[in-house]
Structure formats: structure tokens, C-alpha cells
Amino acid sequence: MRNWTRENGVNGGYCKWMGVTCREGSLSVSLFHINAGFVATDYKDLKGTLPPAAAFSGLDDLRSIIITLQQGITGTLPADWSQMTQLQEVQLCLTSLTASISSSWGSMSKLKELYLCGNKLSGRIPDSLGAQTSLKELSLGINALSGTIPDLSR
């Protein structure tokens, strides 16, 4: 994904790939969606870890990352994803992610929806998520998290 730039997208045709959506009227990737629940998908049974934020460099219009129903996705939730400040939605449900949620995720000022349900996450829910004013939906169920659930009713 490191070479996923607007210029390479024209030649690589990323906007035509299943699971990749580009902003209307442009060749800029805005959604990356890998869900084994798709009827006709080639994305079943993926294995590996989530890439660092640097892997998404050049995708300045990326607003959503959705990777669900992928039990072969292991490792930790990358703390450096908080550097992708343009993200508005992150769904990483029903994978095998472990460890804790970094407090740095509370610094994602445009994040509206965060779904981390059905993983193997543990530790305390970061207070920084509760301080995140743009966050409207949060799903952390079916994990081993502790602490106070943030009040998002503001």
C-alpha cells in the first residue's frame, strides 16, 4: 500500500478493486473495506498483522478502514494509526487483535465511529476516548477491557 498514490491509482486501477472505494469524481481512495462477509470476496481467511500508518501514506483522502470477520488478523492495534488524523471511521471487529487500546487513539480529532468489538483486546479503556469530542459511536464489546465506558452523549 505504500505506493498507493493518486498517480499510481490511475495506472493500478485501485478504485476498481473490491473493497476499495474512491471519492466520487476523483481517483483518491476514501474507503478500505475488507469483510469476509461479502458474498463474492477474495478476502476470506486473511492472515497477518495490521500495517503501520506509514503503509497508508499517500492516501490523504482515506476516511474509513473496515476490516471485519478476519480471525487471521493478529497482533496489536497500531498506536501510530492515530497519526492518520483524517480517519472518520475505523471498524476492526471480529479479528484476533490483542493487547490494549493506545491512549493516542483519543487524539484522532475527526474520528466519529470506532468499532473494536469481538477481538481479544485487554487493559483499560483510555480516558482519552471519552475526551474525544468528534466520537459519536463506540463499540468495544466482546473483549477483556476494563475501566469506565466513555460518555459520548455530549
Side-chain angles (χ1 to χ4, degrees):
M1 291 189 305
R2 184 162 302 193
N3 295 322
W4 282 30
T5 61
R6 184 172 300 175
E7 296 77 29
N8 288 340
V10 173
N11 297 324
Y14 305 136
C15 297
K16 296 177 185 172
W17 291 4
M18 182 182 294
V20 174
T21 302
C22 292
R23 199 166 47 149
E24 190 172 334
S26 79
L27 296 172
S28 298
V29 175
S30 61
L31 170 67
F32 185 67
H33 188 169
I34 296 178
N35 180 345
F38 279 154
V39 175
T41 185
D42 293 329
Y43 301 129
K44 292 182 181 178
D45 302 321
L46 292 180
K47 295 185 182 356
T49 59
L50 295 174
F56 296 96
S57 66
L59 298 179
D60 298 333
D61 287 328
L62 184 64
R63 301 292 182 259
S64 299
I65 297 175
I66 302 171
I67 302 173
T68 59
L69 297 168
Q70 297 289 344
Q71 291 296 315
I73 300 295
T74 60
T76 62
L77 191 60
D80 69 346
W81 277 25
S82 63
Q83 297 169 11
M84 295 190 287
T85 57
Q86 77 280 11
L87 285 178
Q88 296 176 6
E89 174 185 24
V90 176
Q91 291 188 31
L92 302 170
C93 291
L94 301 169
T95 69
S96 295
L97 293 173
T98 59
S100 62
I101 303 168
S102 171
S103 62
S104 65
W105 277 63
S107 67
M108 299 171 77
S109 62
K110 295 182 182 174
L111 190 64
K112 296 177 184 177
E113 301 174 27
L114 178 60
Y115 299 92
L116 301 174
C117 51
N119 290 294
K120 298 174 184 175
L121 299 173
S122 61
R124 294 192 55 77
I125 299 169
D127 292 336
S128 60
L129 287 180
Q132 172 51 278
T133 57
S134 65
L135 194 60
K136 303 299 179 208
E137 296 184 32
L138 177 65
S139 178
L140 301 174
I142 315 172
N143 283 294
L145 296 166
S146 62
T148 305
I149 298 171
D151 180 4
L152 304 177
S153 64
R154 57 201 162 324

